[in-house]
Amino acid sequence: MTGRTTALLALSSASVVLASGCGGDRVDRRDLESKVSDFILRQTGTTATVHCPKDVDPDKGHKTTCIADLSGTPTNLQIVFTSKGRFQVHVDTSHLG
C-alpha cells in the first residue's frame, strides 16, 4: 500500500471533526482549511495542504468540496456539515481498487 492509500483509508474510517471556530452565516475558509488539515494530521500522521472554497454555509446538511494534497496527489474531500460547528470528512476511495 502506498502512503497516499494508507492516508485515504485512515481518513475514510474516522470522519467526525469538531470545528469550534465555524459558526455564524458563513465558515471562515482559512479556519476550515486549518481544521481539515489538523484532522488529516491527527488521523494519518501526514501533513496536508488543504484548499476550500469561500462562503461555505455551515448549516446542517450543507456540503462543500475541499482539495487536499496528500503525498503529492490532489484529493477531493467532501465536507458535510452535521450541525453548527461539526462536520464530517468523506473521501472517495472507490478508485483504490
Side-chain angles (χ1 to χ4, degrees):
M1 237 187 262
T2 67
R4 178 173 179 271
T5 302
T6 302
L8 288 174
L9 292 175
L11 283 176
S12 66
S13 64
S15 61
V16 178
V17 171
L18 174 64
S20 59
C22 298
D25 293 339
R26 295 285 178 240
V27 172
D28 178 77
R29 178 181 53 109
R30 290 183 190 163
D31 188 42
L32 180 59
E33 291 169 347
S34 175
K35 292 200 182 332
V36 172
S37 180
D38 290 347
F39 171 70
I40 292 169
L41 180 61
R42 283 192 313 272
Q43 295 301 316
T44 68
T46 302
T47 302
T49 302
V50 178
H51 299 283
C52 298
K54 292 192 267 182
D55 297 325
V56 175
D57 184 344
D59 288 335
K60 183 178 180 176
H62 286 260
K63 300 175 185 177
T64 193
T65 299
C66 295
I67 299 171
D69 182 350
L70 295 174
S71 301
T73 304
T75 303
N76 287 337
L77 304 174
Q78 184 179 54
I79 308 300
V80 180
F81 290 89
T82 58
S83 64
K84 281 286 192 197
R86 289 186 175 271
F87 59 88
Q88 295 179 333
V89 178
H90 298 274
V91 180
D92 177 14
T93 58
S94 63
H95 62 282
L96 297 177

